Amino acid sequence: MHFDIDQYYSRLNSGEVILAYKGSISSELITNVLEVLDAKLEDLVIEKSIKKKLYNVLVESLQNLYHHIDDLPETSSGKFDVHFGIFVITKEGERYKVSTGNFIKNNKIKPLQERLDRVKSMSKDELKTLYKQILNNQDFTKKGGVGLGLIDMAKRTDGQLDYKFSEYNQEYSFFNLDIYV
Amino acid sequence: MESIAIEGTTKTPEVRLNPENGVIEIKGRSIPENSIEFYRPIIEWLDEYAKNPNKKTTVNVQLEYFNTSSSKCILDIFKKLESLKKARNEVMINWYYEEDDEDMLESGEDYESIIRVPFKMIEIVD
């Protein structure tokens, strides 16, 4: 049975929603979303340092999404836009939750899961050391990234992130990442 | 050698490169999805500048936000400046951060620990 993305989206899209989006993730979309959020965050009464942290996490999570979405093959992607992704920001009590969702090839799950677990388990100092090490030694990947997005977000939020992989079919799963600021 | 002036956008910073007085300024936001393209002309300018640099080069970095893609390009710029310093030129990096922005101060300190150029951390108070 397919993982029900609509159901998952409506579940995310409840409570105090600041922004919710489901569809094609393009560079233009990211620019627009960031502009809207910039204005929205101005209106929210939050400490400037929290606002900055949140904005940084939004930038990295949107760009991670943009760089790492796997598109379903055309035969089964009918109901999804090209470069389909989900992006929802909600307020839960005193915290902000940034959720992203995208398709991922099943064979990529294991290495990603290992990275996520590793980053989650690291202390702030360990994250800082790893960040500097990668920054100083890694070249740009083909996708134009540096492999630092996840570490950066963990560093800023003290590792407050959760993830879930839900099998979609034999080849693809849906990857959900929640980051708490 | 020509100076460079790039206006800032919502995703890219304002950049001023002046060979006359050796002042380099990067200001605003640097959050493009792919920062290599944006920073390429700056890196190329620095290569050219290094051939006949000012006695003293002052770099002012005053960023509100930068993403991880930019962090690599900024390091590349700083590495060029490190070479300039190694060639016995005076180089100073002023790293500005807003009051309470500990993440930005930490980023500056991270660069300071990697790059052998004197840094000055300057807090901007509202």
Side-chain angles (χ1 to χ4, degrees):
Chain A
M1 211 188 74
H2 279 351
F3 168 65
D4 191 336
I5 286 162
D6 287 335
Q7 198 183 27
Y8 157 73
Y9 182 66
S10 42
R11 209 168 48 235
L12 277 180
N13 207 341
S14 61
E16 212 177 317
V17 179
I18 293 169
L19 184 135
Y21 174 84
K22 177 174 78 159
S24 188
I25 305 285
S26 65
S27 177
E28 294 71 42
L29 174 92
I30 295 178
T31 308
N32 294 337
V33 165
L34 288 176
E35 264 172 47
V36 170
L37 286 170
D38 204 15
K40 274 209 158 181
L41 294 187
E42 250 350 289
D43 294 341
L44 296 172
V45 189
I46 44 173
E47 249 178 77
K48 209 169 172 192
S49 59
I50 303 288
K51 190 194 140 197
K52 283 204 157 186
K53 235 180 236 302
L54 183 57
Y55 193 80
N56 268 304
V57 167
L58 296 171
V59 171
E60 289 304 324
S61 56
L62 273 169
Q63 296 185 341
N64 250 354
L65 198 57
Y66 173 76
H67 286 301
H68 298 294
I69 287 171
D70 284 330
D71 273 317
L72 291 177
E74 273 183 38
T75 45
S76 54
S77 66
K79 60 186 265 214
F80 298 108
D81 296 326
V82 175
H83 230 56
F84 177 84
I86 282 175
F87 182 70
V88 181
I89 309 160
T90 46
K91 192 170 182 218
E92 287 188 353
E94 290 305 300
R95 298 195 299 179
Y96 292 88
K97 183 170 94 169
V98 179
S99 305
T100 60
N102 60 278
F103 286 108
I104 179 173
K105 284 193 168 161
N106 288 339
N107 61 13
K108 289 192 193 162
I109 292 178
K110 199 168 170 262
L112 178 57
Q113 190 164 8
E114 281 169 4
R115 277 196 67 179
L116 284 159
D117 287 339
R118 184 162 166 236
V119 163
K120 264 181 76 126
S121 72
M122 289 174 104
S123 70
K124 190 156 186 188
D125 281 342
E126 287 170 329
L127 285 166
K128 205 176 149 91
T129 307
L130 181 65
Y131 184 96
K132 280 202 281 185
Q133 207 179 351
I134 295 176
L135 178 68
N136 201 16
N137 294 305
Q138 195 111 320
D139 283 327
F140 279 99
T141 63
K142 272 185 292 190
K143 288 174 175 169
V146 261
L148 280 172
L150 206 56
I151 300 164
D152 184 71
M153 290 190 283
K155 194 156 71 90
R156 290 182 197 277
T157 61
D158 293 323
Q160 294 187 82
L161 40 100
D162 285 323
Y163 66 85
K164 204 176 157 189
F165 295 98
S166 311
E167 194 177 290
Y168 187 72
N169 61 25
Q170 279 191 320
E171 218 185 326
Y172 290 88
S173 288
F174 204 74
F175 168 52
N176 167 225
L177 179 65
D178 295 330
I179 302 144
Y180 295 91
V181 180
Chain B
M1 172 168 203
E2 295 207 358
S3 56
I4 286 187
I6 303 168
E7 295 308 320
T9 70
T10 49
K11 273 178 154 176
T12 54
E14 174 190 337
V15 178
R16 298 268 185 271
L17 310 171
N18 188 337
E20 305 292 323
N21 60 9
V23 175
I24 292 168
E25 281 186 311
I26 304 173
K27 245 176 150 175
R29 296 176 174 203
S30 185
I31 52 172
E33 279 80 57
N34 192 335
S35 50
I36 307 174
E37 258 169 71
F38 178 80
Y39 282 96
R40 186 174 293 125
I42 300 166
I43 300 280
E44 284 169 0
W45 187 92
L46 281 168
D47 281 334
E48 197 55 38
Y49 174 74
K51 290 176 189 165
N52 185 19
N54 211 283
K55 229 179 103 196
K56 186 179 177 197
T57 302
T58 309
V59 187
N60 298 316
V61 183
Q62 189 176 335
L63 290 169
E64 194 188 351
Y65 295 110
F66 66 94
N67 61 359
T68 51
S69 174
S70 302
S71 68
K72 180 78 184 160
C73 293
I74 295 168
L75 182 72
D76 289 343
I77 290 176
F78 288 168
K79 284 194 168 159
K80 297 282 173 198
L81 297 162
E82 188 176 45
S83 310
L84 204 61
K85 172 97 182 17
K86 256 192 201 156
R88 293 169 184 272
N89 298 289
E90 197 183 327
V91 183
M92 180 76 192
I93 298 174
N94 296 317
W95 183 270
Y96 291 85
Y97 65 98
E98 277 185 61
E99 196 182 6
D100 298 335
D101 192 350
E102 273 178 38
D103 287 350
M104 192 56 81
L105 170 61
E106 259 186 38
S107 300
E109 288 168 349
D110 285 349
Y111 284 120
E112 188 181 21
S113 71
I114 298 173
I115 300 291
R116 287 175 190 187
V117 171
F119 272 70
K120 206 192 275 172
M121 302 296 163
I122 303 171
E123 186 178 359
I124 309 165
V125 184
D126 274 344

